[in-house]
Protein backbone atom coordinates (compact mmCIF):
# COMPACT_ATOMS: atom_id res chain seq x y z
CA UNK A 1 0.00 0.00 0.00
CA UNK A 2 1.65 3.24 -1.05
CA UNK A 3 1.12 6.35 1.07
CA UNK A 4 1.64 9.79 -0.46
CA UNK A 5 1.81 12.98 1.58
CA UNK A 6 0.74 16.38 0.25
CA UNK A 7 2.34 19.23 2.17
CA UNK A 8 0.26 22.36 1.57
CA UNK A 9 2.48 25.40 1.97
CA UNK A 10 0.98 27.93 -0.45
CA UNK A 11 -0.69 30.23 2.07
CA UNK A 12 0.33 33.88 1.98
CA UNK A 13 0.49 34.15 5.75
CA UNK A 14 -0.41 37.83 5.84
CA UNK A 15 -0.96 37.76 9.63
CA UNK A 16 2.70 36.82 10.10
CA UNK A 17 3.84 40.24 8.89
CA UNK A 18 6.79 38.80 6.92
CA UNK A 19 7.94 39.94 3.43
CA UNK A 20 8.05 36.34 2.31
CA UNK A 21 5.25 33.76 2.17
CA UNK A 22 4.70 31.98 5.50
CA UNK A 23 6.40 28.74 4.37
CA UNK A 24 9.65 30.66 3.80
CA UNK A 25 9.61 32.70 7.03
CA UNK A 26 12.58 31.68 9.19
CA UNK A 27 11.99 29.05 11.89
CA UNK A 28 15.39 28.87 13.54
CA UNK A 29 18.05 28.76 10.79
CA UNK A 30 15.90 27.44 7.96
CA UNK A 31 12.59 28.35 6.28
CA UNK A 32 9.55 27.05 8.18
CA UNK A 33 8.81 24.58 5.34
CA UNK A 34 12.00 22.64 6.14
CA UNK A 35 10.71 21.31 9.48
CA UNK A 36 7.46 19.59 8.39
CA UNK A 37 9.13 18.49 5.14
CA UNK A 38 12.01 16.79 6.98
CA UNK A 39 9.61 15.14 9.42
CA UNK A 40 7.30 13.75 6.69
CA UNK A 41 10.31 12.64 4.66
CA UNK A 42 11.71 10.80 7.69
CA UNK A 43 8.39 9.05 8.45
CA UNK A 44 8.53 5.30 8.05
CA UNK A 45 4.82 5.38 6.98
CA UNK A 46 5.25 7.74 4.03
CA UNK A 47 6.54 6.70 0.60
CA UNK A 48 6.43 9.96 -1.37
CA UNK A 49 5.82 13.67 -0.82
CA UNK A 50 4.32 16.43 -2.98
CA UNK A 51 5.01 20.00 -1.92
CA UNK A 52 2.42 22.63 -2.83
CA UNK A 53 4.45 25.84 -2.83
CA UNK A 54 3.44 29.48 -3.00
CA UNK A 55 3.20 30.37 -6.72
CA UNK A 56 6.71 31.26 -7.95
CA UNK A 57 8.38 29.39 -5.04
CA UNK A 58 8.29 25.86 -6.53
CA UNK A 59 12.02 25.93 -7.34
CA UNK A 60 13.15 27.27 -3.93
CA UNK A 61 11.03 24.50 -2.35
CA UNK A 62 12.86 21.84 -4.41
CA UNK A 63 16.25 23.39 -3.55
CA UNK A 64 15.30 23.36 0.14
CA UNK A 65 14.28 19.68 -0.11
CA UNK A 66 17.69 18.93 -1.65
CA UNK A 67 19.48 20.96 1.03
CA UNK A 68 17.87 18.97 3.86
CA UNK A 69 18.14 15.64 2.00
CA UNK A 70 14.39 15.09 1.67
CA UNK A 71 14.65 12.35 -0.95
CA UNK A 72 10.95 11.37 -1.08
CA UNK A 73 9.86 14.65 -2.73
CA UNK A 74 8.37 13.77 -6.13
CA UNK A 75 7.02 17.18 -7.16
CA UNK A 76 6.74 20.81 -6.17
CA UNK A 77 3.73 22.55 -7.68
CA UNK A 78 2.22 26.02 -7.32
CA UNK A 79 -0.77 26.34 -5.00
CA UNK A 80 -4.06 28.04 -5.73
CA UNK A 81 -6.24 30.80 -4.39
CA UNK A 82 -7.79 28.70 -1.60
CA UNK A 83 -6.50 25.78 0.46
CA UNK A 84 -8.86 23.47 -1.44
CA UNK A 85 -7.37 24.67 -4.77
CA UNK A 86 -3.90 23.92 -3.37
CA UNK A 87 -4.93 20.40 -2.28
CA UNK A 88 -6.39 19.82 -5.77
CA UNK A 89 -3.06 20.90 -7.34
CA UNK A 90 -1.15 18.51 -5.08
CA UNK A 91 -3.52 15.60 -5.75
CA UNK A 92 -2.93 15.98 -9.50
CA UNK A 93 0.65 14.80 -8.83
CA UNK A 94 -0.42 11.69 -6.90
CA UNK A 95 -0.43 8.65 -9.22
CA UNK A 96 -3.53 6.55 -9.88
CA UNK A 97 -2.05 3.50 -8.16
CA UNK A 98 -1.42 5.30 -4.83
CA UNK A 99 -3.71 3.92 -2.11
CA UNK A 100 -3.67 6.53 0.63
CA UNK A 101 -3.02 10.24 0.79
CA UNK A 102 -2.11 12.24 3.84
CA UNK A 103 -2.64 16.02 3.66
CA UNK A 104 -0.65 18.16 6.04
CA UNK A 105 -0.44 21.93 6.66
CA UNK A 106 3.12 23.25 6.52
CA UNK A 107 1.87 25.76 9.10
CA UNK A 108 1.93 22.90 11.67
CA UNK A 109 5.65 22.07 11.66
CA UNK A 110 5.81 19.74 14.68
CA UNK A 111 4.21 16.68 13.05
CA UNK A 112 5.26 13.35 14.55
CA UNK A 113 5.38 9.78 13.28
CA UNK A 114 3.05 8.81 16.14
CA UNK A 115 0.24 11.05 14.86
CA UNK A 116 0.86 9.88 11.27
CA UNK A 117 0.43 6.30 12.48
CA UNK A 118 -2.74 7.19 14.42
CA UNK A 119 -4.46 8.69 11.36
CA UNK A 120 -3.42 5.90 9.00
CA UNK A 121 -4.44 2.93 11.17
CA UNK A 122 -8.30 3.27 11.08
CA UNK A 123 -8.41 3.55 7.25
CA UNK A 124 -8.26 -0.25 7.10
CA UNK A 125 -11.62 -0.32 8.98
CA UNK A 126 -13.32 1.41 6.05
CA UNK A 127 -13.38 5.05 7.19
CA UNK A 128 -13.45 7.68 4.40
CA UNK A 129 -11.12 9.93 6.36
CA UNK A 130 -9.24 10.08 9.65
CA UNK A 131 -8.23 13.33 11.34
CA UNK A 132 -6.35 14.18 14.55
CA UNK A 133 -8.21 16.35 17.03
CA UNK A 134 -8.31 17.62 20.59
CA UNK A 135 -11.44 18.12 22.70
CA UNK A 136 -12.18 21.84 23.12
CA UNK A 137 -11.31 22.80 26.68
CA UNK A 138 -12.07 26.53 26.61
CA UNK A 139 -15.58 27.90 27.04
CA UNK A 140 -16.86 28.76 23.57
CA UNK A 141 -18.96 31.86 22.76
CA UNK A 142 -20.55 33.10 19.56
CA UNK A 143 -19.66 36.80 19.38
CA UNK A 144 -21.16 39.51 17.16
CA UNK A 145 -19.09 41.97 15.11
CA UNK A 146 -19.65 44.58 17.88
CA UNK A 147 -17.98 42.28 20.45
CA UNK A 148 -21.23 41.36 22.19
CA UNK A 149 -21.64 37.75 23.30
CA UNK A 150 -24.62 36.27 21.49
CA UNK A 151 -24.46 32.71 22.75
CA UNK A 152 -22.44 30.33 24.91
CA UNK A 153 -21.97 27.26 22.76
CA UNK A 154 -21.94 23.93 24.60
CA UNK A 155 -18.50 22.39 24.20
CA UNK A 156 -19.96 18.91 24.70
CA UNK A 157 -18.70 16.85 21.77
CA UNK A 158 -16.70 19.74 20.25
CA UNK A 159 -13.21 18.92 18.94
CA UNK A 160 -10.62 21.17 17.31
CA UNK A 161 -9.15 19.24 14.39
CA UNK A 162 -5.62 19.38 13.09
CA UNK A 163 -3.58 17.88 10.26
CA UNK A 164 -2.19 15.45 9.01
CA UNK A 165 -5.49 14.07 7.69
CA UNK A 166 -5.60 10.67 5.94
CA UNK A 167 -7.91 9.50 3.12
CA UNK A 168 -8.18 6.78 0.52
CA UNK A 169 -6.88 8.63 -2.58
CA UNK A 170 -10.04 8.03 -4.67
CA UNK A 171 -12.25 9.41 -1.86
CA UNK A 172 -10.31 12.68 -1.59
CA UNK A 173 -10.17 13.04 -5.39
CA UNK A 174 -13.98 12.78 -5.60
CA UNK A 175 -14.39 15.26 -2.72
CA UNK A 176 -12.12 17.95 -4.21
CA UNK A 177 -13.76 17.57 -7.61
CA UNK A 178 -17.21 18.22 -6.13
CA UNK A 179 -16.63 21.98 -6.25
CA UNK A 180 -17.31 22.41 -2.51
CA UNK A 181 -14.93 24.45 -0.34
CA UNK A 182 -13.89 23.90 3.28
CA UNK A 183 -11.09 24.94 5.61
CA UNK A 184 -9.91 21.32 5.86
CA UNK A 185 -10.02 18.22 3.67
CA UNK A 186 -12.24 16.25 6.04
CA UNK A 187 -14.88 18.96 5.59
CA UNK A 188 -14.84 18.29 1.84
CA UNK A 189 -15.06 14.53 2.35
CA UNK A 190 -17.92 14.88 4.87
CA UNK A 191 -19.79 17.26 2.53
CA UNK A 192 -19.54 14.55 -0.15
CA UNK A 193 -21.19 12.07 2.27
CA UNK A 194 -18.02 10.45 3.65
CA UNK A 195 -17.64 9.12 7.22
CA UNK A 196 -14.72 10.74 9.03
CA UNK A 197 -13.15 9.51 12.27
CA UNK A 198 -11.32 11.68 14.81
CA UNK A 199 -8.31 10.22 16.65
CA UNK A 200 -6.27 11.91 19.40
CA UNK A 201 -4.18 14.74 18.00
CA UNK A 202 -1.15 16.39 19.57
CA UNK A 203 -1.07 19.69 21.50
CA UNK A 204 2.33 20.34 19.88
CA UNK A 205 0.74 20.40 16.42
CA UNK A 206 0.35 24.15 16.87
CA UNK A 207 -0.64 26.12 13.80
CA UNK A 208 1.59 29.08 13.02
CA UNK A 209 -0.47 32.16 12.25
CA UNK A 210 1.33 35.05 13.95
CA UNK A 211 4.98 35.95 14.68
CA UNK A 212 4.36 34.92 18.32
CA UNK A 213 3.33 31.42 17.15
CA UNK A 214 6.54 31.22 15.11
CA UNK A 215 8.64 32.14 18.17
CA UNK A 216 6.76 29.60 20.31
CA UNK A 217 7.30 26.76 17.84
CA UNK A 218 10.98 27.79 17.42
CA UNK A 219 11.40 27.41 21.19
CA UNK A 220 10.04 23.84 20.95
CA UNK A 221 12.43 22.65 18.23
O1 LIG B 1 -4.87 29.63 5.63
P1 LIG B 1 -4.75 28.48 6.59
O2 LIG B 1 -4.09 28.88 7.86
O3 LIG B 1 -6.00 27.69 6.79
O4 LIG B 1 -3.71 27.51 5.89
C1 LIG B 1 -3.49 26.19 6.33
C2 LIG B 1 -2.45 25.57 5.41
O5 LIG B 1 -2.92 25.60 4.07
C3 LIG B 1 -1.11 26.32 5.45
O6 LIG B 1 -0.04 25.39 5.53
C4 LIG B 1 -1.11 27.09 4.12
O7 LIG B 1 0.19 27.24 3.57
C5 LIG B 1 -1.96 26.20 3.22
N1 LIG B 1 -2.65 26.96 2.16
C6 LIG B 1 -2.35 26.68 0.84
N2 LIG B 1 -2.96 27.41 -0.16
C7 LIG B 1 -3.83 28.39 0.13
C8 LIG B 1 -4.14 28.69 1.48
C9 LIG B 1 -3.53 27.95 2.50
O8 LIG B 1 -1.54 25.79 0.55
N3 LIG B 1 -4.37 29.10 -0.87
Amino acid sequence: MSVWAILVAAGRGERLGSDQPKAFAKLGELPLLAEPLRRLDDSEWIDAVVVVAPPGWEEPAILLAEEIGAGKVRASVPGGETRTDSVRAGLAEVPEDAAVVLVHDAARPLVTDAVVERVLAPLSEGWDGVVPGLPVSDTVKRVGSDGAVEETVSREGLWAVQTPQAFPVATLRRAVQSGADATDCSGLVAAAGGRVKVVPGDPLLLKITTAADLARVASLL
Side-chain angles (χ1 to χ4, degrees):
M1 185 179 89
S2 79
V3 177
W4 281 60
I6 298 175
L7 184 57
V8 284
R12 281 188 280 270
E14 277 151 6
R15 284 165 291 180
L16 202 58
S18 160
D19 300 340
Q20 291 173 327
K22 178 154 65 180
F24 286 87
K26 280 278 156 55
L27 178 67
E29 300 287 296
L30 290 172
L32 187 163
L33 177 62
E35 190 64 29
L37 184 54
R38 183 182 59 73
R39 288 170 178 243
L40 293 180
D41 197 82
D42 282 351
S43 170
E44 61 171 304
W45 304 103
I46 293 171
D47 300 302
V49 180
V50 175
V51 178
V52 183
W57 291 77
E58 304 92 285
E59 189 67 28
I62 286 288
L63 293 175
L64 180 63
E66 284 170 5
E67 185 185 338
I68 64 173
K72 294 180 187 169
V73 175
R74 298 286 171 270
S76 171
V77 295
E81 200 49 42
T82 66
R83 185 183 186 281
T84 305
D85 293 334
S86 294
V87 171
R88 196 178 290 115
L91 261 179
E93 301 300 319
V94 175
E96 285 304 321
D97 60 2
V100 169
V101 63
L102 199 87
V103 181
H104 184 60
D105 290 344
R108 299 181 192 273
L110 302 180
V111 56
T112 64
D113 232 17
V115 80
V116 169
E117 185 179 3
R118 285 203 291 279
V119 294
L120 290 177
L123 285 181
S124 61
E125 297 160 13
W127 294 92
D128 298 308
V130 186
V131 307
L134 297 173
V136 171
S137 56
D138 291 323
T139 297
V140 179
K141 311 272 185 193
R142 189 178 310 284
V143 181
S145 55
D146 59 353
V149 172
E150 293 171 348
E151 185 192 359
T152 299
V153 182
S154 166
R155 67 184 174 208
E156 179 71 33
L158 282 190
W159 290 63
V161 305
Q162 307 171 319
T163 70
Q165 302 189 346
F167 308 91
V169 177
T171 304
L172 187 60
R173 273 198 221 280
R174 273 196 302 277
V176 300
Q177 279 154 13
S178 71
D181 198 15
T183 51
D184 76 340
C185 294
S186 73
L188 297 172
V189 167
R195 285 177 69 245
V196 176
K197 181 182 173 73
V198 177
V199 295
D202 188 335
L204 290 182
L205 272 172
L206 302 166
K207 184 167 164 187
I208 294 179
T209 305
T210 64
D213 301 331
L214 196 60
R216 182 147 175 240
V217 168
S219 76
L220 294 168
L221 286 178

